[in-house]
Amino acid sequence: MACNLLEGTVPLGLGNLPFLEMYNIGSNEIVSSGDNGLGFITSLTNSTRLKFLGFGGNLLQGIIPESIGNLSKVLERLYMGGNHFYGTIPASIGYLSNLTLLNLSNNAITGEIPQEIGKLENLKVLGLAGNRISGRIPDSLGNLQELNNIDLSGNELVGGIPTAFGNLHSVLSLDLSNNKLNGTIPKEVLNLPSLTIIFNLSNNFLSGNLPQEIGSLGNIVTIDLSNNCLSGNIPSMIKNCKSLEELYIARNIFSGHIPGTLGEVKGLETLDLSYNHLAGFIPLDLQKLHALQSLNLACNNLEGAVPCECVFANLSRVQLEGNPKLYLNFGCENAQDHGRKPAKVCIFVIIGIMATLVGFFCIVSLLYMKRRRNTDASNLMEHHHHMGSYHNLREATENFKEENLIGNGSFGSVYKGCVNDGTVVAIKVLKIRKTGAWKSFLAECEALRNVRHQNLVKLITSCSSVDLRNKNFLALVYEFLGNGSLKDWVKGERKKENGEGLNLVERLNVAIDVASAMDYLHHDCEVPVVHCDLKHNNILLDEDLTAKVGDFGLARLLIEKVNDHQTSISSIHALKGSIGYIPPEYGLGVKPSTAGDAYSFGVILLELFTGKSPTDESLMVEENLVGWVQSAFPSKALQVLDPELLLLMFILFHDDFAINPEVQQNVQSQFLGLDYVALEALLTAESA
């Protein structure tokens, strides 16, 4: 019932559901009933099998009752965020010992965090952000060694950061921003190699030096320490944060020089050192940061010449105001001898006059030639540019007619269209309101801008415009591949005219085609590309059953490969990809790499020859495709092969199959009935 427009109140008769395991009414417009707005929680105490309880994102209000501790002892996830709850967090919350997720964010909760939360030893996600919680952070939170994500931001917490946080050896993300915390940053908190997503202590009153132990966060993506009272030098050991993409330490009291070792953090995209007391020259090593998109050095005491290369080549990306001793080096190529300037002025004037005359002659000649080529050029422009306008795409799809819709994805819908010259194309219209749609659009354009390969879906053009309602419109136009996706063939939703699916050779050819595309992206592109979402939906087949890889909406460009470590230009703050195809290490915060694509390719190989997808309903809940095949290999390997593939194999061995209906019916019944013992005997006998 979640994510609808449900209104009204929650009925109090829920206690008559003793076998209830999941109750989710989140993201609706449900309100409280009278003063006892959360009375339904008490009525759920009889639902002893309840594992999931979600009523976040509504209009509920009231005090969280002590009876919440009497809920099911097997309750794993409790979502209460995004309402209007007030009062304190009841100590009885500690009785819910099986909780793995507790979300009370974005309410009006006051008081202190109860010590009893430290009893939730299975807790993986704790969200208390956006409340009015006060007092100190309890040391008991250090007992929660299973915690992956802790968010206490946007409260009124005081005191220091507990050194007990050093026990959180599984934490991936730690956000304590926008509170009133003081004291120094404990070294224990920095010795957490598992901390890989975000470390955010911004907008507090923390003081003292930033410990050199910051370099222990070797896999962290984002560090935000801005708006505090931190002082001393920026530690040189920050060079060990090799995965760092965003570093914010603005509005502190840092002094000394900018460490040149920052130039070793190759994946850094955003660096904000503004409003400190930094002095000296801008290190030339910052020119090594080829991924750097934004640099803010404003309001310090820097001096000397501003470097010229990389991010400094486009000063719109660099903020330098408030450093009166800095000056721009306009002679970045080679310093000019100022004593020769007067003599050179005359030469430049003469050259300028001659260039003007030559230019005028060239313009006249070009205008004459252009008239002769006007017809051919207009046809070419119509094909390449007009096809990319909203008006033409609307015509090509008959106003995005539902009959022309051929697929839906995370970021958009795909339509079949026919352009003016009769060419059939596939038009992917992005969902502008979908979070990440713009980033997906830019990632796909960037990834496919300079790649050309027979096993990659060809991007013809793109469209960034407005529709008839004057709203943003984004679309990508691809070549149309008439045989659908590999998913259609694996699931049996598409077959050949004779009713057969892909035979063994054709499946091998698909595997080779995909491998060729991946090898090209990883090793033969000028800038290597990691697809990040390789799966059966994104592999399309043309009329000759040639496989082509498409959908680069999550792609990453790799700018450098040093030894076995790869650095990504694009940031990754959350897990990206599709369930079943994502390599396990991505869940631990490891950045996208060619090895991740290789894992996804391995899953596709298993899918090709077993006929099962990673999320196949026949697989057990706790089982995945990889584990299922491993459990059957090698002694029971025949049992995991696609029955249709085995049937085709049998045809190769059985000469009478196609001409003898009785034999045909016999064999079909055994194959379709999955009688693997009989099947193995048949294959063995025939092959002998």
Side-chain angles (χ1 to χ4, degrees), residues 227-245:
N227 286 288
N228 279 287
C229 302
L230 299 171
S231 58
N233 295 331
I234 299 174
S236 59
M237 295 307 292
I238 203 160
K239 67 179 181 180
N240 293 334
C241 300
K242 299 298 185 184
S243 297
L244 191 62
E245 296 180 359

Side-chain angles (χ1 to χ4, degrees), residues 112-407:
E112 300 185 2
I113 300 173
Q115 290 278 353
E116 286 75 9
I117 283 186
K119 297 179 180 179
L120 306 178
E121 295 183 355
N122 294 311
L123 200 63
K124 296 182 183 296
V125 178
L126 175 62
L128 303 179
N131 284 288
R132 301 173 191 166
I133 300 171
S134 58
R136 304 176 69 90
I137 300 174
D139 290 338
S140 62
L141 291 187
N143 298 333
L144 307 179
Q145 298 191 24
E146 297 295 321
L147 264 182
N148 297 145
N149 186 311
I150 179 169
D151 189 353
L152 308 180
S153 62
N155 283 288
E156 299 174 8
L157 297 168
V158 298
I161 301 172
T163 58
F165 273 17
N167 297 326
L168 304 176
H169 297 297
S170 300
V171 69
L172 302 174
S173 174
L174 176 61
D175 192 345
L176 306 179
S177 63
N178 294 286
N179 280 287
K180 299 177 181 179
L181 300 173
N182 54 33
T184 60
I185 300 176
K187 296 179 181 179
E188 291 83 355
V189 179
L190 301 177
N191 285 315
L192 293 173
S194 64
L195 196 55
T196 54
I197 299 176
I198 187 169
F199 179 53
N200 192 349
L201 304 180
S202 63
N203 296 293
N204 281 287
F205 300 104
L206 299 171
S207 58
N209 295 341
L210 179 59
Q212 290 283 354
E213 282 76 6
I214 191 75
S216 300
L217 303 179
N219 296 313
I220 193 71
V221 170
T222 300
I223 295 176
D224 191 348
L225 306 175
S226 55
N227 286 288
N228 279 287
C229 302
L230 299 171
S231 58
N233 295 331
I234 299 174
S236 59
M237 295 307 292
I238 203 160
K239 67 179 181 180
N240 293 334
C241 300
K242 299 298 185 184
S243 297
L244 191 62
E245 296 180 359
E246 295 178 295
L247 175 61
Y248 305 93
I249 58 175
R251 298 184 185 277
N252 281 284
I253 321 174
F254 285 108
S255 57
H257 294 76
I258 300 173
T261 54
L262 277 171
E264 299 181 32
V265 188
K266 300 298 185 182
L268 202 58
E269 297 178 356
T270 302
L271 177 60
D272 190 349
L273 309 179
S274 61
Y275 292 91
N276 281 286
H277 297 162
L278 300 171
F281 301 102
I282 298 175
L284 295 178
D285 288 335
L286 294 187
Q287 295 179 124
K288 299 177 181 178
L289 300 177
H290 296 282
L292 195 60
Q293 300 295 312
S294 175
L295 174 63
N296 192 347
L297 304 176
C299 298
N300 281 286
N301 298 315
L302 301 173
E303 60 184 68
V306 177
C308 303
E309 299 178 8
C310 288
V311 70
F312 298 101
N314 184 355
L315 290 179
S316 65
R317 297 179 179 179
V318 183
Q319 297 182 53
L320 301 171
E321 63 272 13
N323 292 283
K325 296 181 181 179
L326 280 179
Y327 60 89
L328 298 178
N329 185 359
F330 291 104
C332 283
E333 296 294 328
N334 288 303
Q336 299 291 335
D337 185 351
H338 298 287
R340 298 181 181 178
K341 282 185 179 179
K344 291 182 178 179
V345 169
C346 294
I347 298 174
F348 290 150
V349 170
I350 294 171
I351 293 174
I353 294 172
M354 293 178 65
T356 302
L357 292 173
V358 173
F360 178 76
F361 176 77
C362 291
I363 290 173
V364 173
S365 301
L366 287 172
L367 288 173
Y368 174 75
M369 294 173 64
K370 184 176 180 180
R371 288 182 180 179
R372 301 183 62 182
R373 298 198 305 261
N374 190 54
T375 303
D376 294 337
S378 62
N379 292 337
L380 187 64
M381 288 291 287
E382 179 178 352
H383 180 71
H384 284 287
H385 293 279
H386 290 182
M387 190 181 72
S389 71
Y390 172 76
H391 174 71
N392 285 83
L393 297 186
R394 180 169 166 266
E395 282 189 346
T397 58
E398 299 177 88
N399 198 22
F400 303 104
K401 194 174 180 181
E402 188 172 351
E403 285 79 358
N404 290 322
L405 181 66
I406 57 178

Side-chain angles (χ1 to χ4, degrees), residues 453-607:
H453 193 272
Q454 62 182 2
N455 296 120
L456 294 178
V457 178
K458 182 181 179 182
L459 176 63
I460 299 173
T461 188
S462 61
C463 174
S464 176
S465 183
V466 292
D467 60 17
L468 297 178
R469 293 174 295 178
N470 205 32
K471 294 185 178 180
N472 286 331
F473 177 84
L474 292 178
L476 296 163
V477 182
Y478 299 93
E479 63 174 318
F480 178 76
L481 299 176
N483 259 321
S485 70
L486 182 60
K487 174 185 177 182
D488 300 333
W489 290 88
V490 170
K491 288 186 172 292
E493 296 172 1
R494 186 182 287 263
K495 293 183 180 292
K496 303 174 190 172
E497 292 182 359
N498 60 6
E500 293 180 1
L502 298 177
N503 60 37
L504 178 61
V505 174
E506 288 165 339
R507 297 186 196 211
L508 284 173
N509 284 336
V510 168
I512 293 169
D513 289 341
V514 177
S516 299
M518 289 299 103
D519 180 65
Y520 169 77
L521 292 173
H522 294 171
H523 303 294
D524 295 334
C525 290
E526 181 180 352
V527 179
V529 179
V530 179
H531 190 283
C532 291
D533 197 20
L534 189 62
K535 58 181 178 180
H536 56 7
N537 308 56
N538 297 335
I539 298 171
L540 305 177
L541 304 180
D542 67 8
E543 297 299 332
D544 299 324
L545 295 180
T546 299
K548 300 190 178 188
V549 177
D551 198 344
F552 285 74
L554 297 179
R556 301 287 186 268
L557 308 185
L558 300 180
I559 60 167
E560 184 176 11
K561 185 173 183 181
V562 182
N563 297 327
D564 294 326
H565 300 287
Q566 293 167 322
T567 305
S568 168
I569 286 181
S570 299
S571 62
I572 175 152
H573 299 287
L575 196 61
K576 302 291 185 182
S578 300
I579 294 174
Y581 298 90
I582 309 175
E585 59 267 23
Y586 281 13
L588 300 176
V590 175
K591 298 177 70 173
S593 66
T594 54
D597 280 355
Y599 178 90
S600 302
F601 176 67
V603 175
I604 289 171
L605 287 180
L606 296 182
E607 200 169 358

